[in-house]
Amino acid sequence: MEAGLSVPERAKAGGGCQCGAARYELHGAPLRVWICHCTECRKQSASAFGISVTVRREQLRPLRGEVAKWSRDCDSGRRLDCFFCPICGSRLWHEQAGATTLNVKGGSLDDPIDVASATHIWTARKLEGVVIPENAERFAYEPS
C-alpha cells in the first residue's frame, strides 16, 4: 500500500450493489483513493463528487449476480467501461480497456473507507461549498 493512504489494510473486503444481487470481494490492500469532482462523477453518484478506490484488476473477485456494462467517453478523452447491477442500477466499478487496475466505487464497499488522505481530482469543477482538506493532494484536472 502506498504511504499516506487511510484505507484499512485488510486481506479481504466485501462490497456489492444496493439491492444485494451483485456481490464482490477485494483481496489485498487498495493502491489509492480518489475523490473526483468532475461533472460525470457527480451525475453518477448523484452527489457532490465520486469516490473511487484503485485496485489491481486481479484483486476483484465477483461472488454472485450479474453485472451490466455501459461505456462512455471521459473528459480526458479516454473511454471508460462502467459496471453496475442491472436490477438496482448501483455502480460497482469502472475500468479502461488494457489497464492493469480498476476503480471500485467507494460507496459500494461494505465497510466505509477513510477519505482523509484521498487525492482530489477535477477540482476545477468542484461545487462551491465543498471543502477539500488543506493538506490533500489535488489536481485541477485529471493527472497524467
Side-chain angles (χ1 to χ4, degrees), residues 65-116:
E66 297 295 320
V67 294
K69 179 176 89 170
W70 173 69
S71 299
R72 69 171 178 84
D73 293 326
C74 301
D75 288 340
S76 65
R78 291 182 274 193
R79 188 108 176 121
L80 188 67
D81 293 331
C82 309
F83 293 86
F84 62 95
C85 172
I87 297 170
C88 68
S90 297
R91 197 76 63 93
L92 299 171
W93 70 85
H94 294 165
E95 58 185 71
Q96 294 175 357
T100 59
T101 60
L102 54 84
N103 289 307
V104 172
K105 301 311 296 175
S108 73
L109 291 165
D110 294 339
D111 295 323
I113 58 171
D114 181 359
V115 297

Side-chain angles (χ1 to χ4, degrees), residues 16-79:
C17 67
Q18 192 170 6
C19 74
R23 296 284 305 158
Y24 65 81
E25 281 182 344
L26 292 179
H27 292 263
L31 302 173
R32 194 158 193 172
V33 176
W34 304 91
I35 293 181
C36 182
H37 299 271
C38 80
T39 306
E40 291 297 324
C41 281
R42 291 197 323 252
K43 285 180 183 179
Q44 178 269 312
S45 67
S47 189
F49 48 79
I51 301 172
S52 295
V53 179
T54 302
V55 299
R56 287 180 293 283
R57 187 178 293 271
E58 64 270 11
Q59 288 179 261
L60 178 75
R61 294 189 188 145
L63 296 177
R64 76 166 182 256
E66 297 295 320
V67 294
K69 179 176 89 170
W70 173 69
S71 299
R72 69 171 178 84
D73 293 326
C74 301
D75 288 340
S76 65
R78 291 182 274 193
R79 188 108 176 121

Side-chain angles (χ1 to χ4, degrees), residues 115-116 120 131-138:
V115 297
H120 290 253
V131 178
I132 298 174
E134 209 172 289
N135 63 341
E137 183 177 26
R138 65 186 80 202

